Amino acid sequence: MVIGDGTYIKKMNRDLILQEIFTQKKISRANLSKKTGLNKATISSQVGDLIKDHFIFETQEKHSGLGRRPILLSINEESAYFLGIDLDYENILFNVMNLKGDTVLFEKVDLFSDIYEEIVELLANKISQYKTIFADSTYGLAQVTIGIHGTVSTDETIYFIPKYQWREKDLKKDLMARGIKNVYIENNANLSAYAEKVFYYHQSNHLLNITLSTGIGAGIIINGNLQKGYNGHAGEIGHMIVYPKGRPCRCGNEGCWERYASEPALLNRAKHVLPVNISSHADLEKLVDNRDKDAIKVINDWLADVSIGLNNIINIYNPEMIVLNSPILNFYPHALEELDKHLVSSVSNYHKIAVSELGGKAGVVGACAIGIQRFMGLPQLSLLGTNNITVNEANL
C-alpha cells in the first residue's frame, strides 16, 4: 500500500492518467477509469486540470450507431515542442517533436569546424531559430536535449569526446551564457537506448542498445532505468580492449573494440582488400546487392570482430533485448545470421537481437522523447506507433 500526502497521491494519479492517454492515443473517461483503477470523481478532477493546462483535449468520435457520440481524450500535441540535437563529428542533426511524439521538423547541418566556441555559437543560433518558430504554442519550445558522442558526467558536463579531443567542456553553461535555457546534455548512446524502449520495446526492462557508427557506444537499461555508472561514464564499450597490443586508439589505449568493429574500421578494411574505391557504406551496399563475394567476405570478417564484443557484453549484462544500430546491418541481409554463428558460448544468455529501425535518428529521436518525459514529469513514457521517423531520413 502506497502512503503519502495529498499532493503526492495527486501527482501519482496524474501520472497514471497521462501515461494511459499517451499509450492509448484516444480514450474515454470510462475506459480511463477501468485502465487506471481510479474512480470517476478522481478522473474528472484530473482531466479538468489537464485540459485547463492545455496538455489534453476532448474530441467526439464519429459513429453510425444510436446514442451519444463518445467523448475521447487525447494529448494536445500542439501545446509544446521538443528539440533533440545529435552533435556528431561531421554533422549535427536537429529534430523537433510535438507533445504527442510526432516529428514535425528535421534538419541536418554539415560541420566544417571542430573548434568548440564556433560550434557552441552555431548551436545557440539554431536553438534560437527553433524557439522563434514554435513561440506561438502554449509552452513553446519546452525542452532542448543534446546528444554527445562521448562521455557525459552526471552533472551534464562533457568529460571527453575522442573525435573532437574536447575535454571538460560545460556546454550547458556556455549555452546559458548565450541566453539558451532548459537544456539537457546526455550521452548519445543512452538517448538511443531510451528511444528504442519508448518507441519499439516498451515492455523490455533489460535492454542494450549498441551503436556501431563513427565509434561504438552502448545505452544500458536495467530494470527499466538507464544505467549511467558512478559518474555517468558507463557504456563506453567501444574502448573495451579486444586485441591486446592492437591498433592504437585516440582514447590512449591499444586494441579497442571500435578500432575493429566500428563503421570506419569496416570501410578501412574494405579499402585495403577490395579492388574498387570504397568511400562510404553506400559503396559497399552496391557490391552486396551485386553479390560480390569479396565484399561479402569483408563484411563477414567485420561481423566476426563485432561478435567478440557482443559475447563479452552478453556475459556481463545478460540482456533481454539487444538492439544493434548500424547502416551496414540494415542493408546486409544475413547480418544477424552471421552474428549468431559466433554467439555460441554455453554461458551466454539473451532473449533477442534486432537491428534498429530508427537508424541514424535514434539518438536525436530519443533526445526529443526524454524531453517530453522530463517536461511532463512522468516516471515512464510510451510513444508506440507515433510518427517518429520519416522515409527520407530512415537510412541516416
mmCIF file of all heavy atoms in Angstrom, residues 5 10 13 41 111 120 125 151 202 205 215 250 257 262 269 272 294 301 340 357 361 381:
data_model
loop_
_atom_site.group_PDB
_atom_site.id
_atom_site.type_symbol
_atom_site.label_atom_id
_atom_site.label_comp_id
_atom_site.label_asym_id
_atom_site.label_seq_id
_atom_site.Cartn_x
_atom_site.Cartn_y
_atom_site.Cartn_z
ATOM 1 N N ASP A 5 1.219 12.087 1.243
ATOM 2 C CA ASP A 5 0.302 13.199 1.432
ATOM 3 C C ASP A 5 -0.538 13.411 0.181
ATOM 4 O O ASP A 5 -0.348 12.760 -0.846
ATOM 5 C CB ASP A 5 1.058 14.464 1.826
ATOM 6 C CG ASP A 5 2.058 14.907 0.758
ATOM 7 O OD1 ASP A 5 1.904 14.490 -0.411
ATOM 8 O OD2 ASP A 5 2.981 15.656 1.090
ATOM 9 N N LYS A 10 -1.938 12.890 -5.585
ATOM 10 C CA LYS A 10 -2.472 13.567 -6.767
ATOM 11 C C LYS A 10 -1.502 13.464 -7.941
ATOM 12 O O LYS A 10 -1.914 13.245 -9.082
ATOM 13 C CB LYS A 10 -2.750 15.033 -6.431
ATOM 14 C CG LYS A 10 -3.446 15.798 -7.563
ATOM 15 C CD LYS A 10 -3.804 17.216 -7.137
ATOM 16 C CE LYS A 10 -4.525 17.933 -8.275
ATOM 17 N NZ LYS A 10 -4.888 19.326 -7.899
ATOM 18 N N ASN A 13 -1.661 9.954 -9.391
ATOM 19 C CA ASN A 13 -2.867 9.778 -10.200
ATOM 20 C C ASN A 13 -2.732 10.484 -11.546
ATOM 21 O O ASN A 13 -3.132 9.944 -12.584
ATOM 22 C CB ASN A 13 -4.082 10.314 -9.449
ATOM 23 C CG ASN A 13 -4.421 9.493 -8.216
ATOM 24 O OD1 ASN A 13 -4.008 8.342 -8.088
ATOM 25 N ND2 ASN A 13 -5.167 10.085 -7.284
ATOM 26 N N ALA A 41 -14.721 10.300 -10.018
ATOM 27 C CA ALA A 41 -14.530 11.648 -9.483
ATOM 28 C C ALA A 41 -13.078 12.091 -9.631
ATOM 29 O O ALA A 41 -12.795 13.239 -10.010
ATOM 30 C CB ALA A 41 -14.942 11.685 -8.013
ATOM 31 N N LEU A 111 29.104 20.082 -40.630
ATOM 32 C CA LEU A 111 30.076 20.840 -39.849
ATOM 33 C C LEU A 111 31.389 20.962 -40.617
ATOM 34 O O LEU A 111 31.871 19.990 -41.198
ATOM 35 C CB LEU A 111 30.339 20.147 -38.508
ATOM 36 C CG LEU A 111 29.290 20.319 -37.408
ATOM 37 C CD1 LEU A 111 29.674 19.486 -36.189
ATOM 38 C CD2 LEU A 111 29.151 21.781 -37.021
ATOM 39 N N VAL A 120 29.536 25.965 -30.398
ATOM 40 C CA VAL A 120 28.607 26.482 -29.388
ATOM 41 C C VAL A 120 27.780 27.624 -29.975
ATOM 42 O O VAL A 120 26.556 27.689 -29.778
ATOM 43 C CB VAL A 120 29.364 26.967 -28.135
ATOM 44 C CG1 VAL A 120 28.412 27.682 -27.172
ATOM 45 C CG2 VAL A 120 30.023 25.795 -27.423
ATOM 46 N N ASN A 125 22.587 29.689 -32.041
ATOM 47 C CA ASN A 125 21.821 30.352 -33.107
ATOM 48 C C ASN A 125 20.692 29.468 -33.612
ATOM 49 O O ASN A 125 19.564 29.946 -33.839
ATOM 50 C CB ASN A 125 22.746 30.734 -34.263
ATOM 51 C CG ASN A 125 23.695 31.862 -33.898
ATOM 52 O OD1 ASN A 125 23.422 32.644 -32.995
ATOM 53 N ND2 ASN A 125 24.824 31.946 -34.595
ATOM 54 N N THR A 151 31.802 10.885 -23.442
ATOM 55 C CA THR A 151 31.407 10.694 -22.053
ATOM 56 C C THR A 151 30.835 11.986 -21.472
ATOM 57 O O THR A 151 31.421 13.057 -21.606
ATOM 58 C CB THR A 151 32.605 10.230 -21.196
ATOM 59 O OG1 THR A 151 33.737 11.050 -21.506
ATOM 60 C CG2 THR A 151 32.942 8.784 -21.485
ATOM 61 N N HIS A 202 8.777 -1.211 -25.481
ATOM 62 C CA HIS A 202 8.331 -0.621 -24.222
ATOM 63 C C HIS A 202 8.247 -1.652 -23.099
ATOM 64 O O HIS A 202 8.425 -1.313 -21.927
ATOM 65 C CB HIS A 202 6.967 0.049 -24.418
ATOM 66 C CG HIS A 202 6.507 0.795 -23.220
ATOM 67 N ND1 HIS A 202 7.206 1.857 -22.677
ATOM 68 C CD2 HIS A 202 5.425 0.630 -22.428
ATOM 69 C CE1 HIS A 202 6.568 2.311 -21.618
ATOM 70 N NE2 HIS A 202 5.489 1.603 -21.443
ATOM 71 N N ASN A 205 12.459 -4.450 -20.078
ATOM 72 C CA ASN A 205 13.085 -3.709 -18.987
ATOM 73 C C ASN A 205 14.588 -3.957 -18.877
ATOM 74 O O ASN A 205 15.260 -3.354 -18.039
ATOM 75 C CB ASN A 205 12.419 -4.049 -17.658
ATOM 76 C CG ASN A 205 11.044 -3.415 -17.543
ATOM 77 O OD1 ASN A 205 10.845 -2.282 -17.971
ATOM 78 N ND2 ASN A 205 10.092 -4.149 -17.006
ATOM 79 N N GLY A 215 32.070 5.603 -33.898
ATOM 80 C CA GLY A 215 32.640 4.891 -32.751
ATOM 81 C C GLY A 215 31.640 3.832 -32.318
ATOM 82 O O GLY A 215 30.711 3.516 -33.070
ATOM 83 N N ARG A 250 42.416 6.636 -30.243
ATOM 84 C CA ARG A 250 42.526 8.030 -29.820
ATOM 85 C C ARG A 250 42.255 8.198 -28.325
ATOM 86 O O ARG A 250 42.545 9.246 -27.754
ATOM 87 C CB ARG A 250 41.557 8.908 -30.628
ATOM 88 C CG ARG A 250 41.895 8.959 -32.104
ATOM 89 C CD ARG A 250 41.024 9.933 -32.861
ATOM 90 N NE ARG A 250 41.387 11.312 -32.563
ATOM 91 C CZ ARG A 250 40.851 12.364 -33.189
ATOM 92 N NH1 ARG A 250 39.934 12.171 -34.131
ATOM 93 N NH2 ARG A 250 41.218 13.587 -32.873
ATOM 94 N N TRP A 257 37.848 -2.114 -29.118
ATOM 95 C CA TRP A 257 36.845 -2.774 -29.956
ATOM 96 C C TRP A 257 36.452 -1.898 -31.143
ATOM 97 O O TRP A 257 36.293 -2.397 -32.263
ATOM 98 C CB TRP A 257 35.617 -3.115 -29.110
ATOM 99 C CG TRP A 257 34.602 -3.980 -29.789
ATOM 100 C CD1 TRP A 257 34.817 -4.921 -30.730
ATOM 101 C CD2 TRP A 257 33.179 -3.979 -29.562
ATOM 102 N NE1 TRP A 257 33.650 -5.535 -31.108
ATOM 103 C CE2 TRP A 257 32.627 -4.965 -30.401
ATOM 104 C CE3 TRP A 257 32.340 -3.254 -28.710
ATOM 105 C CZ2 TRP A 257 31.241 -5.231 -30.415
ATOM 106 C CZ3 TRP A 257 30.981 -3.528 -28.726
ATOM 107 C CH2 TRP A 257 30.448 -4.505 -29.570
ATOM 108 N N SER A 262 33.848 -0.696 -35.603
ATOM 109 C CA SER A 262 33.077 0.497 -35.957
ATOM 110 C C SER A 262 32.916 0.576 -37.471
ATOM 111 O O SER A 262 33.544 -0.178 -38.223
ATOM 112 C CB SER A 262 33.776 1.751 -35.435
ATOM 113 O OG SER A 262 35.032 1.906 -36.072
ATOM 114 N N ARG A 269 38.977 -1.472 -43.787
ATOM 115 C CA ARG A 269 39.267 -2.856 -44.187
ATOM 116 C C ARG A 269 38.908 -3.066 -45.656
ATOM 117 O O ARG A 269 39.663 -3.684 -46.420
ATOM 118 C CB ARG A 269 38.451 -3.805 -43.297
ATOM 119 C CG ARG A 269 38.788 -5.289 -43.461
ATOM 120 C CD ARG A 269 37.737 -6.158 -42.770
ATOM 121 N NE ARG A 269 37.584 -5.829 -41.367
ATOM 122 C CZ ARG A 269 37.826 -6.655 -40.354
ATOM 123 N NH1 ARG A 269 38.269 -7.864 -40.604
ATOM 124 N NH2 ARG A 269 37.612 -6.277 -39.112
ATOM 125 N N HIS A 272 41.360 -1.571 -48.249
ATOM 126 C CA HIS A 272 42.621 -2.289 -48.411
ATOM 127 C C HIS A 272 42.449 -3.641 -49.116
ATOM 128 O O HIS A 272 43.415 -4.174 -49.670
ATOM 129 C CB HIS A 272 43.274 -2.518 -47.047
ATOM 130 C CG HIS A 272 43.910 -1.277 -46.480
ATOM 131 N ND1 HIS A 272 43.204 -0.357 -45.747
ATOM 132 C CD2 HIS A 272 45.181 -0.803 -46.579
ATOM 133 C CE1 HIS A 272 44.019 0.632 -45.388
ATOM 134 N NE2 HIS A 272 45.219 0.382 -45.885
ATOM 135 N N ASP A 294 33.885 -10.895 -52.556
ATOM 136 C CA ASP A 294 34.934 -10.270 -51.756
ATOM 137 C C ASP A 294 34.340 -9.269 -50.756
ATOM 138 O O ASP A 294 34.779 -9.194 -49.606
ATOM 139 C CB ASP A 294 35.945 -9.566 -52.665
ATOM 140 C CG ASP A 294 36.760 -10.551 -53.495
ATOM 141 O OD1 ASP A 294 36.954 -11.684 -53.018
ATOM 142 O OD2 ASP A 294 37.190 -10.182 -54.601
ATOM 143 N N ASP A 301 33.929 -10.862 -42.083
ATOM 144 C CA ASP A 301 35.100 -10.758 -41.196
ATOM 145 C C ASP A 301 34.881 -9.654 -40.161
ATOM 146 O O ASP A 301 35.275 -9.781 -38.995
ATOM 147 C CB ASP A 301 36.359 -10.471 -42.011
ATOM 148 C CG ASP A 301 36.796 -11.672 -42.849
ATOM 149 O OD1 ASP A 301 36.323 -12.796 -42.568
ATOM 150 O OD2 ASP A 301 37.604 -11.479 -43.783
ATOM 151 N N ASP A 340 24.998 -14.786 -35.262
ATOM 152 C CA ASP A 340 24.575 -15.953 -34.479
ATOM 153 C C ASP A 340 25.607 -17.081 -34.531
ATOM 154 O O ASP A 340 25.769 -17.836 -33.570
ATOM 155 C CB ASP A 340 23.223 -16.483 -34.981
ATOM 156 C CG ASP A 340 22.059 -15.677 -34.436
ATOM 157 O OD1 ASP A 340 22.241 -15.000 -33.405
ATOM 158 O OD2 ASP A 340 20.974 -15.724 -35.037
ATOM 159 N N GLU A 357 15.325 0.030 -36.153
ATOM 160 C CA GLU A 357 14.548 0.623 -37.237
ATOM 161 C C GLU A 357 14.679 2.145 -37.258
ATOM 162 O O GLU A 357 14.261 2.799 -38.210
ATOM 163 C CB GLU A 357 13.079 0.226 -37.094
ATOM 164 C CG GLU A 357 12.832 -1.268 -37.255
ATOM 165 C CD GLU A 357 11.351 -1.616 -37.236
ATOM 166 O OE1 GLU A 357 10.565 -0.872 -37.850
ATOM 167 O OE2 GLU A 357 10.982 -2.619 -36.603
ATOM 168 N N LYS A 361 18.723 8.265 -36.744
ATOM 169 C CA LYS A 361 17.908 9.214 -35.993
ATOM 170 C C LYS A 361 17.626 8.744 -34.579
ATOM 171 O O LYS A 361 16.953 9.452 -33.823
ATOM 172 C CB LYS A 361 16.586 9.472 -36.712
ATOM 173 C CG LYS A 361 16.699 10.393 -37.909
ATOM 174 C CD LYS A 361 15.331 10.798 -38.442
ATOM 175 C CE LYS A 361 14.632 11.767 -37.519
ATOM 176 N NZ LYS A 361 13.345 12.237 -38.053
ATOM 177 N N LEU A 381 7.438 6.563 -20.113
ATOM 178 C CA LEU A 381 6.734 7.080 -21.280
ATOM 179 C C LEU A 381 6.690 6.021 -22.362
ATOM 180 O O LEU A 381 7.665 5.305 -22.581
ATOM 181 C CB LEU A 381 7.459 8.327 -21.805
ATOM 182 C CG LEU A 381 6.887 9.043 -23.021
ATOM 183 C CD1 LEU A 381 5.562 9.716 -22.678
ATOM 184 C CD2 LEU A 381 7.880 10.088 -23.534
#
